[in-house]
Amino acid sequence: MCVDANAGARAQARAQAAAKDARYASEGLKFFNRETTLARTQNQNVIGLSRDQSDAYAQAVATLGKGRKRVEDATRAYFSTMGVDEGGRSRRFGKLKYQALLQKNAEVESTIQNVLGRNQAYANQASTRKYQAAQARAREALGVRPEYGAPVMMPPTNRLGGALQIASQVVGIASGVQGLFNP
């Protein structure tokens, strides 16, 4: 059996490789945990987007209902103040009240168009931007995937050096023993 001269260096390289493998496995587990957190966060972000869009739509529908209520009230007021046309009146009788009703209807329709059109688009854009910012924060929290890096180099075996060392020790012992017998 020959002694390996690089046995200590090889054992140290094995220990370094084992430590590197353990660090990589640990970082990989941490990354996996961050990935699961990312998946949960993305699901929560989608729910938040849906809720924001739903809230904006509910607000628009509520405004639409208020507008229709104002039209109803204006129409009711118009017809309650309107007298019966029994003839003998001017052709323009009640025209101002009718124009006021039409103006009230136009105001409400304009408001409804703004709420369901432009304002709804603003709300949808705001909720989309909020969602995208939350998704970006979640991806940023994920971090980078762990990398193994350069491998640990294993030094070669040096059995010849070990054999030569043993041979030199044997020669040294033999010359010492020979010096004892040959004074």
Side-chain angles (χ1 to χ4, degrees):
M1 176 174 147
C2 293
V3 176
D4 186 4
N6 288 342
R10 290 174 61 81
Q12 183 181 6
R14 278 191 202 97
Q16 286 176 349
K20 188 170 191 173
D21 290 343
R23 271 195 311 275
Y24 180 71
S26 174
E27 292 299 319
L29 182 61
K30 290 177 190 175
F31 186 76
F32 173 76
N33 290 337
R34 288 194 304 265
E35 282 180 323
T36 57
T37 301
L38 173 68
R40 283 195 311 269
T41 303
Q42 287 177 333
N43 288 339
Q44 291 169 350
N45 291 344
V46 168
I47 291 169
L49 172 66
S50 175
R51 286 180 181 167
D52 286 346
Q53 289 176 342
S54 177
D55 290 346
Y57 181 72
Q59 185 179 8
V61 168
T63 304
L64 179 66
K66 289 177 186 175
R68 289 183 178 159
K69 178 68 173 154
R70 287 179 60 197
V71 168
E72 178 188 343
D73 292 343
T75 306
R76 184 175 286 131
Y78 170 73
F79 283 116
S80 68
T81 61
M82 194 68 194
V84 177
D85 186 6
E86 294 178 357
R89 292 188 178 158
S90 166
R91 288 184 307 150
R92 298 176 56 92
F93 174 73
K95 191 170 188 177
L96 287 177
K97 290 180 183 177
Y98 185 63
Q99 285 176 341
L101 174 65
L102 292 178
Q103 183 178 357
K104 182 69 80 173
N105 283 347
E107 286 176 11
V108 170
E109 288 300 319
S110 173
T111 302
I112 288 172
Q113 288 300 323
N114 283 340
V115 167
L116 291 180
R118 184 184 65 202
N119 293 354
Q120 187 70 24
Y122 287 157
N124 284 340
Q125 186 67 31
S127 63
T128 301
R129 286 180 180 163
K130 181 179 172 184
Y131 169 73
Q132 288 173 341
Q135 291 289 79
R137 280 193 305 274
R139 283 190 302 274
E140 186 70 28
L142 177 62
V144 294
R145 183 179 301 274
E147 293 183 7
Y148 188 78
V152 177
M153 300 306 288
M154 181 70 75
T157 58
N158 189 0
R159 299 200 186 277
L160 178 62
L164 290 176
Q165 184 180 9
I166 291 174
S168 70
Q169 287 176 355
V170 168
V171 169
I173 292 172
S175 66
V177 168
Q178 183 183 10
L180 290 174
F181 294 118
N182 291 336

